[in-house]
Amino acid sequence: MFVKHGMNSGFSSLASSAVLRRQQFLIRSLNGYSVSDKIRMEAVKCLSGGASLEANAESVLRAIAPSLDPTRHKGQAGKIAVVGGCREYTGAPYFAAISALKIGADLSHVFCTEGAATVIKSYSPELIVHPILEESYNISGVNDEGKRDISKKILSEFDKWMERFDCLVVGPGLGRDPFLLECVSKIMTRARQSNVPIVVDGDGLFLVTNSIELVSGYRLAVLTPNVNEYKRLVQKVLGCDVNDQNTHGELLSLSKQIGGVTILRKGKSDLISDGEKVQSVSIYGSPRRCGGQGDILSGSVAVFLSWARQCNSAAERESTISRTNPTVLGCIAGSALLRKAAALAFEHKKRSTLTTDIIEHLGQSLEAISPVS
Ligand SMILES: NC(=O)C1=CN([C@@H]2O[C@H](COP(=O)(O)OP(=O)(O)OC[C@H]3O[C@@H](n4cnc5c(N)ncnc54)[C@H](O)[C@@H]3O)[C@@H](O)[C@H]2O)[C@@H](O)CC1
Ligand SMILES: Nc1ncnc2c1ncn2[C@@H]1O[C@H](COP(=O)(O)OP(=O)(O)OP(=O)(O)O)[C@@H](O)[C@H]1O
Ligand SMILES: [Mg+2]
């Protein structure tokens, strides 16, 4: 009994000293004010825009990063699921899922095809991999009724887990197989019914561009298009070609047209809009354009938006922030972190910088912005 009591008080003093150290750091970096007020004011400033469109991305990240409090249990820092991984692609879902863990999520799942599952598991024992998706080539002899049964089984397997997730990332390395995409549409519909946020990337954007109703009007959806994916989205939704003379107006219209879905348009500067305003993140990144950086971003946005949602409910209870959009905060923080990590990786590896090198710098970049103590 005595020992147990001693351990508890040891833990709580450890907890309070860690919290104290974090608060002291924040006070030093924010010059005065009450720490929580100032952090939230910074976050509000970032959302309310002001003269500059450039988001105060590092402040946003600091505002939403949870402290590493020993009283918290496994899962509270985020449970993320990536839906992706097929015959062609195993790297993309791995990059997204492992990035979520490296940033601080507690659990990261991958839902993929059976063939991809073995490969993804072999990359990392940290990931929880569910080999549930099917591609047409694998069920070529199956009739329509059999396909409906397979589809139902996939959905019920996914349903067992879905309520546990703080965010889904749909699309990295998903492929474009029609049967697989039809099943993923149903997964997205279920997630939406349960109010689980969805980050849509890669081939998920191919799916959504052709079936915009999957996300239309869903305020917990984030689309992260690259140059090609954006072009296709604009053509389909706005019915015109991309207009580089009206970048911000076009992004605003696109988001509004899809019912206020948050869009992160990747490029030289990342542009973010939820139809209300446009924010940009232009922190210097890397001149290397190796494949997979977008996958890091989608996994990161999933974690940060989950953290921002937790933050929001605490803030709302205190009536400090009345209008904050966690999906926008998540995008700003994700973009800033990826760019910072890419810059660090490039400093070391120069022309040979690869996505795995950037992932290795996520922790160091996060620590530089929001130190643990
Ligand atoms: N290692 C992996 O497994 C990777 C898989 N990926 C997956 O690959 C699938 C297809 O994604 P993609 O990004 O290739 O699809 P896109 O439709 O964006 O790209 C198709 C082609 O367009 C070209 N392109 C890309 N950026 C361009 C630019 N800025 N200007 C002009 N042309 C450009 C590229 O040569 C690419 O082959 C997705 O599921 C994605 O997640 C990628 O994430 C990359 C890494
Ligand atoms: N021209 C650029 N200059 C600087 N940074 C860029 C540029 N283009 C993209 N980026 C950065 O790289 C990140 C990934 O964007 P990219 O366009 O490569 O995505 P993607 O094509 O979806 O990547 P992936 O290969 O993972 O699918 C963006 O968040 C952005 O910060
Ligand atoms: Mg991509």
Side-chain angles (χ1 to χ4, degrees), residues 143-158:
N143 63 19
D144 285 352
E145 200 189 333
K147 284 183 181 162
R148 273 195 295 278
D149 287 345
I150 294 170
S151 172
K152 267 191 206 151
K153 196 164 160 245
I154 290 172
L155 204 58
S156 83
E157 282 293 315
F158 187 79

Side-chain angles (χ1 to χ4, degrees), residues 89-92 95 171-174 176 202-203 226-228 232 291-292 295:
Y89 308 120
T90 54
F95 294 145
L174 192 60
R176 295 181 185 178
D203 294 315
N226 65 13
V227 67
N228 292 326
R232 290 193 286 261
D295 305 318

Side-chain angles (χ1 to χ4, degrees), residues 226 229 266-268 270 289 291-295 297 338-339:
N226 65 13
E229 292 151 353
K266 295 177 283 194
K268 195 157 181 280
D270 288 338
R289 301 267 62 81
Q293 296 184 59
D295 305 318
L297 182 71
L338 166 65
R339 283 167 170 262

